[in-house]
Amino acid sequence: MTTVHLSNVTKHYGSTVAVQDFNLEVADGEFVTLLGPSGCGKTTTLRMLAGLVEPTGGRILFDDQEVTWLAPRARNIGFVFQAPALFPHMSVADNIGFGLSVKGRDKAFIRQRVDEMLDLVDLEGYGKRLPAQLSGGQQQRVALARVLATDPRVLLFDEPLSALDKNLRDTLKYSILELQRKTRKTAIYVTHDQSEAFAISDRIVVMNAGRIEQIGTQTDIYLKPRTPFVAEFIGANNGLNGTVVAVDGSGDDAVVRVDTGGLLLRRRGRTRLTPGQAVLAYIRPEDLSVLEDGDGRVHLNTIEGTIDRLIFEGASAQLRVEVAGVEMRADISGGQRLALVQREGRVRLGFDDVTLIPSEAEAGTAVVTDGVPDEAGPAA
Amino acid sequence: MARLRTAAFLAPAALLALLLLYAPLAFIVNMSFTVTNSFLSPGGPVYSLENYAAMVQRYLPNLFVTVQLAALAMLVDLVLGFPFAYILVRRIRYRDLVRALMVFPMFGALYVAFGMSFILLPGGPADPLIHAFGLRNTDLLFSLPAVVFAMSIFTFPFMVMSIGTALSNVDPTLEEAAACLGARPWQTFWRVVLPLTRAGVVAGSLMVFGWSIGAFAEPLLLGSLNEQRSLALTLYKRGVVENDYGLSSMMGVVLLSVAFVVTYFSLRYSRGALVD
Amino acid sequence: MSAASTPRRRPLLSSRRLATIASHAYIWLCLILFVLPFLALLSQSLGQRGGASGLGNYAAVFGSFGDNLFWSFKITGLTLLIDLAACLPAAYALVRYPVPGKRLLFSLLQLPLYVPGAVIGLSLLLTYTFVYKIDSMWGLVLAMAVGSFPLMMTPIVVAMKDLPVMFEEASECLGATKWQTYRRIVFPLIGPGVSAGLLLCFIIVFNEYLVTLFVHPPALETAPLKVFNLVRTNGLAPTTAALAVTMQLISFLAVIVFFRIFGTRHFKGTYIL
Ligand SMILES: Nc1ncnc2c1ncn2[C@@H]1O[C@H](COP(=O)(O)OP(=O)(O)OP(=O)(O)O)[C@@H](O)[C@H]1O
Ligand SMILES: [Mg+2]
């Protein structure tokens, strides 16, 4: 039953800014993931939450208790490291019982709790083994059990799966989620792997260069990126520099001219853009579809270009098309991808959704747009 | 708070070094400028450069012998030690056995010198060999070669360790690459192995030299009067036997200076940075 | 294609095999040289002189030399304790805490290794006599400690550096105090490094005669000092050889036992390869 509150948390290492003005509220029982490229300050933030690093500024609260300056052991947190960090000289059972034994709990209680935990992570009967006698995935599960045994207020994960191979990662991430749901612990999870973040989070915090770029659900950050960084970092995107040439009177629809080639893009829905404003226009590759002659579908935008090449990826295919001097990527799935294999020459592409972000938009200052307007259906 | 803790952790070792090494060394530096044992006289110590003048006028040969012995021991170690280290690191499976046997000299120069004198004694086990070279036991027992030999046995493991560490950091495929490019073994050695291990070789040699500077039991038990003039021995005789504290302190300072200079370069050359 | 230039069979003694044989021969030659002084002492100690049988020489080791051996063990034991007390916290701080001038400090703490024994001996003799006024056994113990603690420090520092901080962090996050972390996590995990340090210090201190010669209290004669004195006054007597052999055998036993338990890799950075 713990909420976590970070306000203006900042960490500088000499002149390096590791984390700057980090503000976040995590609800009780919520699973929040910090996602961002290497070196963006995820680990630093997590370690400040654990008390392993002292912040340069700001406050951290668990519920109403300020913990900013508390030592790790006084915070009652559970920290799962990238490597399992099991104490190599102790048996699995002793590892799991460690947190209780240092607090002086009696032996019988510890033994019972250890058994419960082994049960929880599906490792009954492994208590007597040494960590070296377990596989990587089992070790990480013991690390989880060790952390849960102390009944922590908050679970902190620092890329706990990144040292494991892909199959294990996939199964273990769901085990982590399941355990978190079962124990109803507030969890903060660090990763640089988008699919991992998307699979298990309630909310995602996208970070870049020590700052928060955007906080939101999976659909928020995918469909309504607030900054160019988020638009480009999450998923694949076609990004085009352009200028707003017209906004209709009610501030609803906008037309943007792409700087190279002069292509015109239309966008439905409310904006707060003004004509003459420089914007970045983003079109998701999967939103582009190839139009055949006589195709009945009607799109808000239709563009024409020359096929550069087709990269066949199995379930889908990447079509690279040169449109008015810019290369665009279209992801084609279904039967159409097979038809395209031999295709050359000109092709027409249609799409409805365009995300517009003012070029000067920085972290936290994004003005824009409702991303994909719900009402923007295919219309004439 | 954190600083206090750090200081407290470092205090025992620092105090030990400060009170029992640096302070005493400072004390003999001071003492080395006092005349004989005027330090004890009621009138207080008489300061002069007399001891250092004596060094230049009378004890230069002692310094020379000391340096000569150390340099020769270092050379013997280097010449014998490089191939040893090379074979040990590259060719040998029974390394632990070698390591275990190699610790024997480390137990002390005293036993090495003591054992050597038994070997060289008339009627000893080395007799046939000595006579085969047309020598007499007395040519060897109290002689410069015997001293140098004992000293180099004592320091040999240190040399091998230093070179061996450097060698094990050199990827053996480099040598194979050189061989495949048509280099002869000696070319590979001269142009690939040696340049890559130079730091270890230099550091090891300097270290051995620095340690040999203070040799005591070897010249005493195996040397002629000439080798017995080495500074460490002279220092003991003047200081402990004859109670000339000023003079022996001066010799201590000279020895110390040589050792420090050598050590300084040795540590600069070795991978020395154990803590960073 | 002349048959002479392409031998059809593998030659019995190729140059490669010759080189291999020569390599092994060389190693063994050097090893014999190392052990030769010991073997000479061993054969002498078993030799006869004046009717006493070979093993009789060893009777003295447990008779009149018993005292000296006792002193050696006592002095060595106390020295190791002081070394541990000085090195464990210092190595921890040097590796884990931000210490200004870390490298310089480490070098300064390593320096005793490189000061010639006679100089340490003389400087301590003079300071003990004129400044500290120490003339008890503790003077000798402290002298041994200052000369040997760098040997203890190195393997502990290496072991600390090889120990990821993660284990300590994990322990603290699980609620352990600094002391609990140190005792239950750090100490067991650097144990082999500590033991390597103990072994090194043991063989050095146990056999130390030179500094001892300068600073030993009048009534106290350690075993190596006894060997030294006997060699000088009594010549090359088999009983003296027996004592020297005993000392080396004890030291060697310690080495073998250690290698058996921990292996050799914990001597990284020290002077055993
Ligand atoms: N102890 C430190 N001393 C100096 N700089 C540090 C320290 N720890 C982290 N930094 C710097 O702070 C920044 C953020 O580091 P952090 O480890 O939080 O990144 P991260 O997002 O976890 O990256 P990764 O995905 O690679 O783990 C980096 O630029 C890093 O170089
Ligand atoms: Mg990280």
Side-chain angles (χ1 to χ4, degrees):
Chain A
M1 304 297 108
T2 308
T3 63
V4 176
H5 183 103
L6 294 99
S7 90
N8 289 321
V9 173
T10 297
K11 178 67 189 179
H12 295 181
Y13 288 107
S15 60
T16 320
V17 178
V19 176
Q20 184 71 45
D21 291 324
F22 194 100
N23 288 295
L24 177 69
E25 295 231 27
V26 183
D28 178 41
E30 195 182 15
F31 199 118
V32 169
T33 300
L34 310 186
L35 175 65
S38 181
C40 71
K42 309 178 295 281
T43 298
T44 307
T45 309
L46 203 69
R47 291 167 66 86
M48 287 192 285
L49 280 166
L52 294 169
V53 168
E54 287 195 347
T56 315
R59 281 151 47 92
I60 301 170
L61 282 84
F62 289 177
D63 293 327
D64 293 330
Q65 183 198 7
E66 166 142 18
V67 297
T68 320
W69 307 107
L70 285 186
R73 90 187 118 85
R75 298 190 185 202
N76 194 13
I77 39 107
F79 198 113
V80 182
F81 295 81
Q82 181 163 354
L86 298 180
F87 306 128
H89 59 302
M90 294 183 189
S91 70
V92 165
D94 287 346
N95 263 285
I96 297 176
F98 183 82
L100 298 168
S101 117
V102 293
K103 293 211 181 75
R105 307 301 294 265
D106 65 85
K107 288 223 170 71
F109 174 80
I110 295 177
R111 201 172 318 125
Q112 179 202 336
R113 184 84 182 145
V114 166
D115 286 341
E116 264 171 50
M117 289 300 127
L118 282 172
D119 220 31
L120 189 67
V121 297
D122 287 329
L123 286 172
E124 302 90 340
Y126 282 79
K128 290 218 172 61
R129 296 216 196 169
L130 283 176
Q133 297 164 325
L134 299 181
S135 72
Q138 290 170 332
Q139 288 184 20
Q140 201 55 286
R141 274 173 20 222
V142 174
L144 262 170
R146 182 173 72 174
V147 151
L148 290 169
T150 58
D151 195 17
R153 306 166 78 178
V154 182
L155 290 173
L156 304 171
F157 300 88
D158 189 1
E159 313 209 18
L161 305 180
S162 62
L164 305 173
D165 65 48
K166 182 155 182 333
N167 288 336
L168 255 171
R169 268 207 306 266
D170 286 343
T171 50
L172 213 52
K173 72 184 172 200
Y174 294 112
S175 321
I176 289 179
L177 183 61
E178 193 188 325
L179 282 174
Q180 187 261 348
R181 292 278 183 260
K182 226 188 269 178
T183 54
R184 293 162 198 252
K185 301 266 175 221
T186 309
I188 300 174
Y189 189 100
V190 160
T191 182
H192 62 257
D193 181 334
Q194 294 179 27
S195 64
E196 211 170 287
F198 273 56
I200 58 179
S201 319
D202 292 324
R203 276 193 303 155
I204 295 173
V205 179
V206 183
M207 292 181 68
N208 180 34
R211 289 164 201 269
I212 296 180
E213 291 274 337
Q214 186 171 351
I215 305 176
T217 61
Q218 286 83 332
T219 48
D220 281 341
I221 64 166
Y222 192 80
L223 299 176
K224 301 176 189 173
R226 287 173 166 272
T227 64
F229 175 83
V230 177
E232 284 161 29
F233 181 70
I234 307 292
N237 230 331
N238 292 298
L240 304 165
N241 280 304
T243 313
V244 179
V245 290
V247 179
D248 99 345
S250 60
D252 262 6
D253 296 359
V255 179
V256 171
R257 176 190 286 120
V258 175
D259 291 345
T260 12
L263 199 68
L264 289 178
L265 303 172
R266 249 165 307 201
R267 182 184 171 288
R268 278 278 170 82
R270 266 167 40 110
T271 63
R272 264 171 260 141
L273 299 168
T274 51
Q277 203 173 353
V279 291
L280 279 153
Y282 289 100
I283 305 152
R284 291 278 180 201
E286 68 271 20
D287 289 344
L288 285 162
S289 46
V290 174
L291 302 179
E292 307 296 343
D293 289 338
D295 200 325
R297 282 177 293 172
V298 182
H299 291 272
L300 191 57
N301 294 288
T302 315
I303 54 179
E304 199 173 312
T306 315
I307 295 181
D308 194 9
R309 64 205 150 102
L310 181 94
I311 303 162
F312 185 77
E313 288 174 335
S316 68
Q318 262 186 51
L319 187 67
R320 300 295 178 112
V321 182
E322 198 195 302
V323 184
V326 283
E327 190 180 75
M328 307 257 290
R329 165 179 164 184
D331 288 355
I332 313 294
S333 54
Q336 201 175 26
R337 75 188 196 286
L338 297 174
L340 283 168
V341 170
Q342 298 299 333
R343 179 111 170 239
E344 279 183 349
R346 307 289 287 177
V347 67
R348 276 194 313 135
L349 299 168
F351 57 95
D352 298 313
D353 303 333
V354 181
T355 304
L356 297 180
I357 303 173
S359 302
E360 69 276 15
E362 280 172 23
T365 66
V367 205
V368 207
T369 77
D370 312 320
V372 176
D374 292 334
E375 71 275 23
Chain B
M1 181 57 204
R3 265 196 216 151
L4 209 67
R5 195 180 49 203
T6 310
F9 273 46
L10 289 170
L15 279 180
L16 196 60
L18 204 63
L19 291 180
L20 293 161
L21 186 79
Y22 291 103
L25 290 183
F27 188 70
I28 63 162
V29 170
N30 177 46
M31 189 74 105
S32 71
F33 291 102
T34 64
V35 178
T36 42
N37 45 21
S38 67
F39 188 85
L40 296 176
S41 68
V46 181
Y47 286 92
S48 90
L49 286 175
E50 187 177 283
N51 298 320
Y52 288 91
M55 178 77 223
V56 177
Q57 287 156 10
R58 285 173 43 211
Y59 292 106
L60 273 185
N62 301 59
L63 180 61
F64 176 78
V65 167
T66 310
V67 171
Q68 182 193 27
L69 289 175
L72 287 172
M74 177 188 89
L75 272 181
V76 172
D77 274 351
L78 187 57
V79 171
L80 294 181
F82 200 103
F84 188 92
Y86 186 85
I87 298 169
L88 184 64
V89 170
R90 289 278 194 268
R91 294 272 151 78
I92 291 241
R93 297 264 161 66
Y94 44 93
R95 235 170 267 157
D96 274 358
L97 176 69
V98 178
R99 284 187 180 116
L101 290 180
M102 249 171 61
V103 298
F104 265 102
M106 292 185 61
F107 295 151
L110 175 62
Y111 308 138
V112 174
F114 186 22
M116 284 274 297
S117 39
F118 271 125
I119 296 172
L120 298 176
L121 216 58
D127 265 2
L129 203 65
I130 295 170
H131 297 153
F133 281 99
L135 297 166
R136 283 165 298 147
N137 297 80
T138 42
D139 291 337
L140 279 182
L141 186 48
F142 300 109
S143 72
L144 185 116
V147 177
V148 168
F149 197 59
M151 283 169 67
S152 50
I153 287 189
F154 175 50
T155 46
F156 194 83
F158 304 109
M159 180 70 95
V160 171
M161 177 300 292
S162 194
I163 299 175
T165 309
L167 268 173
S168 53
N169 291 333
V170 176
D171 189 346
T173 45
L174 291 180
E175 287 160 51
E176 290 163 8
C180 293
L181 290 169
R184 300 180 164 281
W186 64 268
Q187 287 172 318
T188 306
F189 172 78
W190 203 248
R191 296 179 52 182
V192 178
V193 180
L194 198 57
L196 285 173
T197 50
R198 194 174 52 208
V201 172
V202 173
S205 306
L206 288 174
M207 198 184 294
V208 163
F209 184 85
W211 265 318
S212 304
I213 283 287
F216 193 89
E218 304 94 321
L220 181 67
L221 299 185
L222 295 168
S224 68
L225 284 181
N226 176 48
E227 287 79 51
Q228 293 191 358
R229 287 188 303 181
S230 79
L231 275 183
L233 274 177
T234 319
L235 172 156
Y236 177 74
K237 278 183 201 141
R238 295 286 171 275
V240 180
V241 182
E242 295 165 16
N243 289 335
D244 189 339
Y245 301 134
L247 193 63
S248 64
S249 293
M250 178 277 295
M251 290 174 187
V253 173
V254 171
L255 264 182
L256 188 66
S257 318
V258 179
F260 273 15
V261 170
V262 170
T263 304
Y264 173 76
F265 286 108
S266 160
L267 288 182
R268 271 196 50 183
Y269 256 98
S270 65
R271 83 253 104 90
L274 216 48
V275 289
D276 254 322
Chain C
M1 295 299 117
S2 78
S5 65
T6 48
R8 277 189 217 107
R9 279 189 313 135
R10 184 171 173 214
L12 258 175
L13 270 183
S14 68
S15 63
R16 188 171 298 210
R17 286 205 33 199
L18 267 179
T20 308
I21 291 169
S23 299
H24 289 272
Y26 182 74
I27 292 283
W28 283 104
L29 186 73
C30 287
L31 286 180
I32 288 170
L33 278 183
F34 290 153
V35 192
L36 207 56
F38 171 75
L39 293 179
L41 288 177
L42 186 64
S43 80
Q44 276 301 314
S45 70
L46 295 173
Q48 303 187 0
R49 187 192 249 190
S53 91
L55 282 176
N57 296 321
Y58 283 88
V61 169
F62 304 100
S64 57
F65 294 148
D67 247 13
N68 309 106
L69 272 174
F70 167 75
W71 275 119
S72 277
F73 276 114
K74 184 165 175 182
I75 300 281
T76 309
L78 290 172
T79 305
L80 292 186
L81 285 181
I82 293 181
D83 282 345
L84 268 183
C87 291
L88 278 174
Y92 188 83
L94 278 174
V95 177
R96 288 288 190 255
Y97 297 151
V99 180
K102 198 178 266 195
R103 282 181 71 167
L104 179 69
L105 187 63
F106 184 68
S107 303
L108 285 177
L109 290 178
Q110 287 296 102
L111 220 53
L113 269 188
Y114 304 97
V115 181
V119 179
I120 294 193
L122 180 72
S123 66
L124 284 177
L125 172 65
L126 297 185
T127 30
Y128 282 174
T129 322
F130 298 126
V131 187
Y132 299 147
K133 318 271 188 225
I134 303 178
D135 61 356
S136 67
M137 169 196 82
W138 289 103
L140 180 56
V141 171
L142 286 173
M144 295 292 112
V146 77
S148 64
F149 85 92
L151 281 174
M152 173 91 76
M153 186 100 99
T154 309
I156 301 182
V157 163
V158 172
M160 272 310 302
K161 283 193 73 170
D162 285 353
L163 181 70
V165 204
M166 207 170 51
F167 293 122
E168 287 149 71
E169 291 179 345
S171 159
E172 274 191 60
C173 285
L174 289 167
T177 61
K178 286 243 179 288
W179 172 244
Q180 283 172 323
T181 303
Y182 194 70
R183 193 171 53 84
R184 295 182 55 173
I185 307 297
V186 177
F187 194 74
L189 291 179
I190 61 170
V194 176
S195 314
L198 282 171
L199 176 72
L200 281 176
C201 286
F202 174 80
I203 60 181
I204 296 300
V205 174
F206 189 63
N207 295 301
E208 216 298 326
Y209 71 96
L210 184 50
V211 175
T212 314
L213 178 64
F214 282 85
V215 298
H216 72 100
L220 194 164
E221 199 177 28
T222 62
L225 184 62
K226 179 84 178 178
V227 173
F228 180 78
N229 286 336
L230 283 177
V231 174
R232 281 211 306 169
T233 55
N234 204 16
L236 308 175
T239 45
T240 318
L243 183 56
V245 166
T246 309
M247 297 295 291
Q248 293 184 80
L249 280 181
I250 293 172
S251 312
F252 191 61
L253 197 69
V255 173
I256 295 301
V257 167
F258 182 90
F259 279 14
R260 266 285 129 104
I261 300 178
F262 297 108
T264 49
R265 77 202 138 91
H266 304 287
F267 291 97
K268 197 163 79 182
T270 64
Y271 302 104
I272 293 183
L273 187 62

